[in-house]
Amino acid sequence: MGAKGKIALGVVVSVVVIGAVSANAGDDGDSGSGGKGKDSAASAERGSGTKSDTKSGTKSGADTKKDAKAGKAEKKVAFQGDGDFEVGTDVKPGTYRTTGNTDSLCYWERAKDASGEMDSILANDNVSGTSYVTIPAGDKLFKSSGCKDWEAVDTKATGTPAALVKGDGGMHRVGVDIAPGTYRSTGNTDDLCYWERTKDASHSLESILANNNVSGTAVVTVAAGDAYFKTTGCKDWKKTG
C-alpha cells in the first residue's frame, strides 16, 4: 500500500473497551502484534509534502545564540517526521516522541518487513498532539508521514506532571507529563472522546490496561503504575482527586 490512505489499526472511534478488537496502546518495550481497533474505518489523509517548520531541526547561529541567551535547550532530533527508516541502520531501537501534531495528519507505522502489505504492520496510529512509540530491535522498518520530528526519550527522566490534560493532546507519560489521579472531562458528544490507559508504548492490544469511547461526562483514574494515558477527541481533563 502507498503512504496515503492507510488505516490506523490502533485508533478507536466507535468501538469500546479492552477485550473487543478495538483499541490501541502505549510505551517501553513490547513489540506486540498490531492492535486493531479505534476507528479501523478511519484513515488519515496524510500529506506527502515536507513541512518547512518541522524538517531540519537545525537553527542558524543567530537563532542558537538567542536561545542560549534565553536559556532554552534545543530539541535533539533523532530522526525526521517523514520517511521510511530501517531499524538498526537509520534508527536505533528505543522509545521516541513526536509532539505538536494537529488534526491527526501525523501517521506512523512499525513494520516487520518492507513489503508494504497490511500483514507487515505490527502497530500504527494517526496522531493529534503527542505520540510516544517504542521501536524494538526485532522491527525492520519504521514509517513516519506528516509528523513533527521524533526525539529520543530517556525513560528514566523525571518531569513536572500537570493536573490539566488537553482533551486532544495525544499520549502523556504518567508521572512525567501528567500526575496520577482521577480526571474528569465534560461536554463530550457523539462518542468521539476516546481515552486509554497503557502499560507501555508498543501500541499492541496487550499493552492496553483500559479504554473507552465517551459521550457526555467521562471520569477515569490514572494509576501511578500506568505508563501512559492517551486522549483523543475529548474535552480537556481536570484532575479531581
Side-chain angles (χ1 to χ4, degrees):
M1 294 182 63
K4 290 187 178 181
K6 279 217 174 154
I7 295 169
L9 302 178
V11 189
V12 181
V13 161
S14 55
V15 229
V16 188
V17 194
I18 169 180
V21 181
S22 70
N24 88 341
D27 166 337
D28 269 322
D30 299 22
S31 61
S33 58
K36 295 186 180 181
K38 182 183 187 303
D39 206 21
S40 55
S43 54
E45 282 296 322
R46 302 177 311 281
S48 59
T50 57
K51 295 182 180 180
S52 60
D53 62 338
T54 64
K55 295 302 154 220
S56 67
T58 58
K59 297 185 178 182
S60 67
D63 288 339
T64 302
K65 287 180 181 178
K66 286 180 182 178
D67 279 353
K69 288 180 180 179
K72 296 180 181 178
E74 286 189 80
K75 179 181 176 181
K76 295 181 180 179
V77 175
F79 56 96
Q80 295 180 341
D82 279 309
D84 294 350
F85 306 93
E86 290 187 84
V87 179
T89 302
D90 302 319
V91 57
K92 296 179 180 179
T95 299
Y96 296 89
R97 174 180 185 259
T98 179
T99 189
N101 302 287
T102 58
D103 302 324
S104 296
L105 296 180
C106 164
Y107 172 81
W108 64 258
E109 177 183 305
R110 289 175 46 221
K112 62 183 179 183
D113 56 45
S115 68
E117 298 176 359
M118 287 294 291
D119 287 346
S120 73
I121 299 175
L122 295 168
N124 65 353
D125 202 3
N126 294 310
V127 178
S128 182
T130 296
S131 184
Y132 289 84
V133 60
T134 295
I135 304 173
D139 288 7
K140 297 301 181 183
L141 200 67
F142 183 79
K143 299 184 178 184
S144 179
S145 176
C147 301
K148 300 288 186 178
D149 291 339
W150 293 85
E151 59 185 340
V153 172
D154 179 358
T155 56
K156 296 181 181 179
T158 59
T160 304
L164 178 67
V165 182
K166 290 291 184 182
D168 205 34
M171 288 179 71
H172 307 274
R173 287 181 68 191
V174 179
V176 176
D177 301 328
I178 66 168
T182 299
Y183 289 82
R184 180 183 177 93
S185 172
T186 59
N188 300 292
T189 58
D190 301 324
D191 286 330
L192 296 180
C193 167
Y194 172 78
W195 64 258
E196 180 179 291
R197 294 170 47 226
T198 70
K199 62 183 180 182
D200 58 40
S202 68
H203 293 263
S204 67
L205 188 63
E206 292 77 12
S207 72
I208 299 174
L209 297 168
N211 66 347
N212 206 356
N213 294 304
V214 180
S215 184
T217 298
V219 179
V220 58
T221 297
V222 179
D226 294 355
Y228 295 91
F229 178 70
K230 181 177 181 179
T231 169
T232 60
C234 302
K235 299 296 184 181
D236 291 351
W237 298 84
K238 295 182 180 179
K239 190 170 183 292
T240 60

